[in-house]
Amino acid sequence: MQEIYQKLNFYLNEICKYLEKNDSFLLEKMNKIARLNDSFLDLMKKYSLENKTIQNRLTYEEVYFLARDIIEQMDKSYLLSFDGLIQSGELDFGYNQEYEDSQCVRIEEKGQLTKLINIARNFNYDDVIALIHEFIHYTNWDKKTQNRYYLTEFLSIYFETYALFYLLERGIPLDEINYFDRMKNTICSSRSLYRYEYVLLAYVKFGALDDNSVTWLQKYFCDIKEKSFQKECKDLYQRLSNEEEYYQEELKENPKSLGKILSRAFIARNYRYVLGTFLAIYARYYADFHDIVYVNNHIHEFLDESVFDICLSIGIDLSDNNFPKKMLDAITQYMNELQKENLTTKKVKKF
C-alpha cells in the first residue's frame, strides 16, 4: 500500500490546493457531508425506484410551451428571456443523441457572453423537466460568483421539482415521465462520493495518508474497516490516474492545472448535486417558494454572505443539530408522495 499512498498523496495535494482557493466549503464540511451522504444512502435502500417510461409524440413546441406555462407560474419576469431562446438560437433540442445529457453551457469570448441550453430529448415529459432545470442555470449564470457555484444545483433542482409536481398535479400519464429520475441521479452521485469521501476526509484532517490514517478515522470520525479504507484508496488512485491520462494533452499545455482537472472530474461535482438535492427537497417542506425565487434572482448580490447565511434567510438552518433528521424526514415524505398509489389519488403536497 505504501506506493499507492505515495501516489495518492500527490494527487490529493494538488486537488486540495485547488479546492482551498475555489471550493473551500467541501474541505471545511467534508465530515458533515460524508455523514449526510451515508445517511441518505441508508435511507434509500428501502425504496424501489422502478418507473418504466415510454416515449410519446410530444413535439418540441409542446415541450417549450409546457415549460413556458411553468415558468410563468414561477416568475413572470423570466418570460422575457425564455421567449427569446429559440429565435436567438440559445435553445437547441437534440433528436439523434447529439448531446450526452441536457446542459446549459456558458461561453465567454472577447468580452462577449453566450449561454446555450442543449436538451437531450427523451421524447416524453422528462424533456419539460430538463428544460426547466437548465433554464434556471441560464437565469443565474450571468456572472461567476462563489455562492452561485455552491447553490446553482440546489436552485435548478428545486424548480425542477416544482415542475415535476406541476405536471403530476395536472394528471399527465405516469408512464410518460420518470418521476424518480432526480433520485436516481442523486443516488449515482452519492455512491460516487461514498467511494472516496473518507479518503479525502483523512487527508484533509490528518495529512498525508499512511497506515495510521484509518486508525485516526476510526478514533475521531467513523467505524471504517482497514480493508475498506485501503480499497477506497486504491479505487480513488485508479480513478485519478485515469483522469490524468485522459487529459494528458491539456496537462502538457498547462502542467499546473492538474488539481483543477482532477477536481472537476467528479470531486467538485458529486457533492454539489447531492447537497443540491438535499436542500431542494428540504426547501419543498420547510421554505417559502417566493424566497427561493428571490435567492435565484439575487444570487450574485450576496457578496458578503456565506452559504449558511443564504440558507438561513430562506428557513434552512444548516447549523441546526436537527437538520440531518429533518432532511431525512423531508426525503422520506418526498419519496412517499411519489409512490404510485399516492400519485394516482393526487395525494401530493402543493408548492
Side-chain angles (χ1 to χ4, degrees):
M1 282 296 298
Q2 295 307 314
E3 184 177 357
I4 294 292
Y5 287 144
Q6 184 177 1
K7 293 177 178 178
L8 189 52
N9 283 331
F10 168 73
Y11 285 142
L12 290 174
N13 182 57
E14 294 298 310
I15 288 169
C16 287
K17 285 194 298 184
Y18 173 79
L19 292 177
E20 282 173 359
K21 293 181 180 179
N22 299 281
D23 202 338
S24 59
F25 184 86
L26 173 59
L27 297 182
E28 292 167 3
K29 307 301 177 185
M30 192 64 234
N31 181 38
K32 290 186 177 181
I33 291 170
R35 291 180 182 275
L36 286 174
N37 191 52
D38 293 358
S39 298
F40 168 72
L41 286 176
D42 285 341
L43 175 63
M44 295 310 296
K45 290 176 183 177
K46 64 187 284 189
Y47 294 104
S48 169
L49 301 185
E50 297 237 348
N51 172 214
K52 294 181 180 179
T53 56
I54 62 173
Q55 293 184 345
N56 57 24
R57 296 184 179 181
L58 209 61
T59 67
Y60 84 84
E61 289 97 343
E62 290 172 312
V63 171
Y64 178 82
F65 284 110
L66 269 171
R68 190 185 190 279
D69 288 343
I70 296 169
I71 288 165
E72 186 173 18
Q73 298 299 315
M74 289 160 40
D75 188 337
K76 290 183 179 180
S77 69
Y78 293 154
L79 292 178
L80 183 63
S81 56
F82 187 78
D83 286 344
L85 287 177
I86 293 180
Q87 186 174 0
S88 67
E90 293 174 296
L91 172 61
D92 186 50
F93 290 92
Y95 287 88
N96 297 303
Q97 299 182 326
E98 295 95 328
Y99 308 118
E100 185 176 342
D101 197 4
S102 297
Q103 58 185 335
C104 180
V105 181
R106 186 181 195 276
I107 304 169
E108 195 167 1
E109 292 180 344
K110 298 179 180 179
Q112 183 71 31
L113 173 63
T114 303
K115 295 179 290 184
L116 304 174
I117 297 176
N118 300 322
I119 303 298
R121 289 214 63 185
N122 288 320
F123 299 96
N124 56 26
Y125 289 91
D126 291 347
D127 299 339
V128 180
I129 304 293
L131 180 51
I132 295 296
H133 180 106
E134 302 306 335
F135 179 70
I136 294 300
H137 284 314
Y138 179 96
T139 64
N140 59 43
W141 214 356
D142 290 330
K143 299 178 183 178
K144 290 184 177 181
T145 56
Q146 198 68 15
N147 283 324
R148 188 266 172 194
Y149 168 82
Y150 288 132
L151 294 175
T152 187
E153 293 305 333
F154 154 55
L155 294 167
S156 279
I157 294 168
Y158 177 84
F159 290 108
E160 166 195 313
T161 302
Y162 174 84
L164 169 64
F165 283 99
Y166 179 97
L167 294 171
L168 291 172
E169 287 166 10
R170 278 149 187 79
I172 65 164
L174 296 182
D175 60 354
E176 294 182 19
I177 187 168
N178 190 348
Y179 46 85
F180 285 136
D181 193 47
R182 171 50 50 196
M183 299 313 289
K184 290 176 182 176
N185 289 337
T186 303
I187 288 171
C188 184
S189 292
S190 182
R191 285 174 176 164
S192 180
L193 175 59
Y194 182 80
R195 291 198 294 269
Y196 62 83
E197 59 190 10
Y198 287 111
V199 176
L200 182 57
L201 178 64
Y203 185 87
V204 170
K205 294 297 184 182
F206 311 122
L209 303 176
D210 57 29
D211 290 334
N212 294 318
S213 298
V214 69
T215 303
W216 291 110
L217 278 175
Q218 291 168 343
K219 183 175 181 179
Y220 291 104
F221 294 108
C222 63
D223 183 23
I224 187 171
K225 305 299 183 184
E226 182 176 1
K227 186 176 180 180
S228 297
F229 180 75
Q230 290 180 350
K231 185 179 185 305
E232 281 191 25
C233 288
K234 291 175 183 177
D235 290 347
L236 180 57
Y237 164 70
Q238 192 59 58
R239 292 182 74 184
L240 295 174
S241 179
N242 290 342
E243 292 295 330
E244 182 183 28
E245 183 176 356
Y246 183 81
Y247 288 102
Q248 57 182 310
E249 293 301 319
E250 186 175 337
L251 286 166
K252 284 180 182 177
E253 295 181 12
N254 185 6
K256 294 183 178 181
S257 66
L258 179 60
K260 178 180 180 179
I261 288 172
L262 296 180
S263 296
R264 77 185 183 196
F266 53 92
I267 288 177
R269 186 176 71 239
N270 291 148
Y271 91 93
R272 287 188 295 127
Y273 278 97
V274 171
L275 285 188
T277 301
F278 294 171
L279 292 176
I281 294 177
Y282 186 99
R284 171 167 165 74
Y285 302 101
Y286 295 106
D288 182 82
F289 180 83
H290 299 289
D291 289 341
I292 313 297
V293 173
Y294 180 87
V295 168
N296 188 60
N297 293 343
H298 298 84
I299 191 64
H300 301 299
E301 299 172 21
F302 297 102
L303 299 178
D304 298 321
E305 297 181 62
S306 68
V307 171
F308 280 74
D309 295 329
I310 297 172
C311 286
L312 190 60
S313 74
I314 56 177
I316 304 175
D317 187 355
L318 296 177
S319 62
D320 181 2
N321 291 332
N322 290 323
F323 173 77
K325 181 182 182 302
K326 291 173 71 175
M327 182 205 78
L328 294 174
D329 289 344
I331 292 173
T332 298
Q333 189 171 345
Y334 176 85
M335 291 302 300
N336 289 341
E337 285 190 75
L338 291 182
Q339 300 309 300
K340 183 166 286 189
E341 61 270 20
N342 289 331
L343 293 177
T344 54
T345 54
K346 303 291 181 65
K347 291 182 179 179
V348 296
K349 174 186 178 295
K350 294 183 181 296
F351 273 82

